[in-house]
Amino acid sequence: MVPTVRGVGAPGTSGSAQGSEKAPPMSHDSRATKRAANRRLRHHRVLRSRPRHPAPPFPRRGLLALAAAIFVSMSTEFLPGGLLPNIAATFDRPVTDVGQLITVFAGAVILTAAPLAVLTRRVPRKPLAIVALIGIAAATGLAAFAPTFEVLLIARVSGGVAHGLFWSVAAAYAADLVAPSQLGRATAITAAGGSVAGVLGVPLGNALGQAFGWRVAFGTLAAVAVLVVLLVVLLLPAVAPSRALPRTSSTRNHSTPSAIGGILLVCAIILLVVIGQTTYGTYSVVWLSDVASIPSASIPAFLFGTGLAAFVAVSGIGRIADRSPNTALLLGIALAAVLSALFPLSAAWGVGPLVIAALLQAMAFAVVPILLQTRMMRITPPQQRSTAAALQTTAFNVAIGGGAVVGALVVGEWGLEALPWVAALLTGAGLILLLLTSPSRSSDPASDPHPSSSPMEVPDVP
């Protein structure tokens, strides 16, 4: 009898884990089966590594068309500011009366943006944007040919309503066009239209008005608006209005309350930061002349330089906003507050330090609205985006008007010297509110347009 050794003896005996022993040779069929299993495993791993919903191609042409529409809208809003004396002379009115053209426009936006967003939430987005742009073009054209001051006021009210409707669509349009991971870049492209309006559109409109009359300036802008309507028709991709989820027990317990809370918190931050910066910005020309002692002839070049710096910052913020939205927003607001507080000190040191501080402050503040808008769209469910966009537009307009009022009160109580300090204080209050409502957490926001359980949490991408 031949003794058997475990693992080597008769067929059917159990094997051992000892390293010196060899496994029985594998048959051809077994090797083929193992290779097939390895192929299936590799294929499964490849499939798992691919995103379930790959990002669509980046719609650059459509976003540029939307940026052109925003350029027209913003230029229309601010065009009368530099033409008030000319308009007053035409209708033999005091400049203070003509200033109502700005007031009624902002009032129309504030009163109608949110209701119109609710009423039109089921209307297809692209036709609604086109209708709003046509309204802006028509109101601007009516202003150019207004026979009386009262008709001009009606044109401005109509333009304000169209402006509010347009922004209730435009502010959320980029979020509907791109994947969540591309939202910062898309928002930066569209926001560049507003920056170009501030750097080129409004100054060129004012130059036209001074050279050929304010009616020519309004008429030219109306013609540009018509061309932009055609551009939007041809290039802007259509998006469907977001539908609300069915009313079931699970959706009733969904994140709607926290989304509303986040929307209101973003609006509160907008109010604090923008009121603070507008408190100084409304009277910046007077402050530069009377406090910083900059010659009046040099102030336009100073403002053009800060506007150009703002445009550069807006052009480069997109990818940063996608990768580190929280950090970028915190740094933007913090720098705007600190640099505003440095204005009085830098003015005392000389023109050079003041120019550097002003350029950096313009760059910091220019990106804040983009980052706030990006945050708003990321924390808001798709079916609430039009409402969030309208509330955001209302908050910005209230803040712009409120900043002018606060600035006037500050000047009357403490003088021009206090404006930068108040701007820094209110902006710092917005920063504190943001810090208190933004818990730190790291995950990928690209997987979900509103991934956070917290109403203000937008995770950074590592």
Side-chain angles (χ1 to χ4, degrees), residues 10 45 54 71 89 104 146 182 194 211 223 254 266 268 327 334 343 355:
R45 287 173 177 170
F71 166 83
V104 298
Q182 300 170 331
H254 197 56
V266 173
T327 304
F343 277 6
V355 168

Side-chain angles (χ1 to χ4, degrees), residues 291-311:
V291 178
S293 301
I294 293 181
S296 299
S298 302
I299 290 178
F302 185 97
L303 297 178
F304 178 80
T306 56
L308 192 60
F311 176 73

Side-chain angles (χ1 to χ4, degrees), residues 192-238:
S195 298
V196 174
V199 175
L200 293 177
V202 175
L204 287 177
N206 289 338
L208 277 176
Q210 300 296 337
F212 303 104
W214 65 270
R215 294 186 187 275
V216 172
F218 275 87
T220 302
L221 188 54
V224 172
V226 171
L227 293 177
V228 169
V229 169
L230 297 176
L231 194 66
V232 168
V233 169
L234 294 174
L235 298 181
L236 186 65

Side-chain angles (χ1 to χ4, degrees), residues 25 43 77 86 94 145 189 199 204 221 254 269 316 328 352 410 432:
H43 180 66
E77 180 177 9
N86 311 63
F145 294 99
I189 290 174
V199 175
L204 287 177
L221 188 54
H254 197 56
I269 295 171
V410 170
I432 292 172

Side-chain angles (χ1 to χ4, degrees), residues 237-308:
V239 294
S242 299
R243 303 293 184 184
L245 297 173
R247 297 294 291 176
T248 65
S249 58
S250 61
T251 58
R252 277 195 295 270
N253 294 326
H254 197 56
S255 60
T256 300
S258 62
I260 293 298
I263 291 168
L264 295 178
L265 281 171
V266 173
C267 288
I269 295 171
I270 289 171
L271 289 172
L272 287 170
V273 174
V274 177
I275 285 177
Q277 294 298 301
T278 312
T279 295
Y280 164 78
T282 304
Y283 302 93
S284 60
V285 172
V286 184
W287 188 90
L288 291 170
S289 175
D290 294 359
V291 178
S293 301
I294 293 181
S296 299
S298 302
I299 290 178
F302 185 97
L303 297 178
F304 178 80
T306 56
L308 192 60

